[in-house]
Amino acid sequence: RFFDHLLRGAPRAPVASRRTMGRGSELQRLSGAENCLLGMVAGCGSKSINYPLLVFKNLSQQNLPLPRDPRIIYRGLPVAMINLGGTTAVQFVLTGMFQKSLRAVTSDDRVVAMAGSFLGGLASGVPCALWELTMIQQQRFGGSLVGTPLAILRTHGPAGLATGMTMTLGRESLFTLSMLGLTPTIQDELVRRSGLASDAALAAGALTGAIFAATLTHPMDTIKTCLQGDVAGLKYKSNAQTYALLIHEHGSFTALFKGLNWRIALIATTFFLVNRIKEQIAPVLFPSKMAKAPSASSKPKQT
């Protein structure tokens, strides 16, 4: 029912309100708890659809064979949904918070959207690193949702749970900037200037944002994935050592872009799905909040 509702479309805010509220502004009009719920729904819904792309990306980066058995491909899906659902929830909450603060000092919608999403993404990298560490270890070795991080803590101490943290912070800041800042901004501009259909504009914005985010952050993601797949440090020991080792083994800087094709596909579908779900579900969950944007006729006329 959820995906049928998503594809068919949901009741939306009044037309006048939709024109003036601007795509991507939903987070500024919801409370922290409301943004948390919306982010969890958007993240879990997105990951349930494109999870195989994540598996293929992770295995490609580690030079491991790609599985064909669905039972192996979908191993780790629950923690992946918790990861993206929880991370997206945190990103929605923090991005909304920063955007509201920025709105008090600037009226530039693009500055609010971009800066707020960057800061929200940066802060979300902390829980994201732990969730992804658990997921990658499960993909490689199996284990339970609770048992995997406990085993890492028991064997490697708190430092083991922080494996890949720095790279995750950098990646998530640019990822969220592109997902909640760049993608809806491009969508809004395409609809406003060219009259392009909303879904087509969203697809164009998602693809543009994905290429931007994936290309800039893929070296960080590759280093993070290698480190989190080898918590014991048998081969990959630190950010700098992993960077140097990958280049040495493969003979060029392109080693840091292993799995980029899978990641562009993953990010593009994630950006589209998260923003699509956000646009469709927010008016259903919070109709009064989505209908509160001032209409064009309510703005004071300039003389």
Side-chain angles (χ1 to χ4, degrees), residues 154-222:
R154 201 163 42 241
T155 306
H156 305 286
L161 295 177
T163 302
M165 179 74 70
T166 304
M167 292 293 103
T168 307
L169 293 175
R171 187 200 65 187
E172 287 305 306
S173 61
L174 294 176
F175 177 90
T176 311
L177 165 65
S178 298
M179 180 174 69
L180 298 179
L182 185 61
T183 294
T185 297
I186 292 174
Q187 179 192 16
D188 201 43
E189 289 295 312
L190 287 174
V191 170
R192 184 171 62 86
R193 295 190 180 193
S194 67
L196 197 64
S198 179
D199 281 350
L202 176 56
L207 182 59
T208 303
I211 293 173
F212 169 80
T215 304
L216 287 183
T217 66
H218 201 70
M220 289 184 278
D221 187 68
T222 298

Side-chain angles (χ1 to χ4, degrees), residues 24-290:
S25 69
E26 295 93 340
L27 306 185
Q28 300 174 46
R29 296 162 53 197
L30 299 176
S31 68
E34 291 166 340
N35 276 328
C36 183
L37 176 60
L38 183 61
M40 182 65 73
V41 171
C44 288
S46 171
K47 188 51 61 189
S48 68
I49 295 172
N50 66 6
Y51 180 67
L53 297 175
L54 175 63
V55 174
F56 297 154
K57 186 273 298 181
N58 286 342
L59 295 175
S60 295
Q61 287 175 312
Q62 299 173 77
N63 286 323
L64 297 172
L66 303 184
R68 296 183 180 181
D69 187 343
R71 293 172 298 179
I72 297 177
I73 292 174
Y74 282 92
R75 189 167 61 186
L77 175 60
V79 75
M81 292 180 66
I82 292 174
N83 175 28
L84 190 65
T87 301
T88 306
V90 172
Q91 288 168 346
F92 275 30
V93 170
L94 295 174
T95 296
M97 180 185 71
F98 284 120
Q99 286 180 344
K100 289 173 187 176
S101 299
L102 290 166
R103 180 64 68 187
V105 297
T106 179
S107 60
D108 190 320
D109 290 340
R110 285 173 293 188
V111 171
V112 171
M114 300 292 187
S117 56
F118 177 87
L119 293 171
L122 181 66
S124 74
V126 176
C128 181
L130 177 58
W131 291 327
E132 289 196 4
L133 173 64
T134 302
M135 178 188 64
I136 289 174
Q137 286 290 301
Q138 278 189 304
Q139 288 171 357
R140 291 207 61 188
F141 308 112
S144 68
L145 179 62
V146 176
T148 297
L150 288 178
I152 294 173
L153 180 63
R154 201 163 42 241
T155 306
H156 305 286
L161 295 177
T163 302
M165 179 74 70
T166 304
M167 292 293 103
T168 307
L169 293 175
R171 187 200 65 187
E172 287 305 306
S173 61
L174 294 176
F175 177 90
T176 311
L177 165 65
S178 298
M179 180 174 69
L180 298 179
L182 185 61
T183 294
T185 297
I186 292 174
Q187 179 192 16
D188 201 43
E189 289 295 312
L190 287 174
V191 170
R192 184 171 62 86
R193 295 190 180 193
S194 67
L196 197 64
S198 179
D199 281 350
L202 176 56
L207 182 59
T208 303
I211 293 173
F212 169 80
T215 304
L216 287 183
T217 66
H218 201 70
M220 289 184 278
D221 187 68
T222 298
I223 292 171
K224 176 207 74 75
T225 301
C226 290
L227 287 168
Q228 291 186 331
D230 180 23
V231 179
L234 301 178
K235 181 176 181 180
Y236 303 111
K237 305 180 186 304
S238 68
N239 293 328
Q241 182 267 347
T242 301
Y243 169 85
L245 181 59
L246 288 172
I247 292 179
H248 174 73
E249 285 185 340
H250 298 275
S252 72
F253 185 73
T254 58
L256 297 175
F257 289 90
K258 292 183 298 180
L260 180 60
N261 55 335
W262 290 116
R263 190 155 182 260
I264 289 176
L266 173 67
I267 292 178
T269 53
T270 298
F271 285 3
F272 180 88
L273 290 166
V274 166
N275 280 284
R276 175 67 168 162
I277 293 170
K278 174 166 64 72
E279 287 181 357
Q280 294 293 321
I281 299 302
V284 176
L285 294 177
F286 317 109
S288 61
K289 295 287 185 73
M290 292 298 103

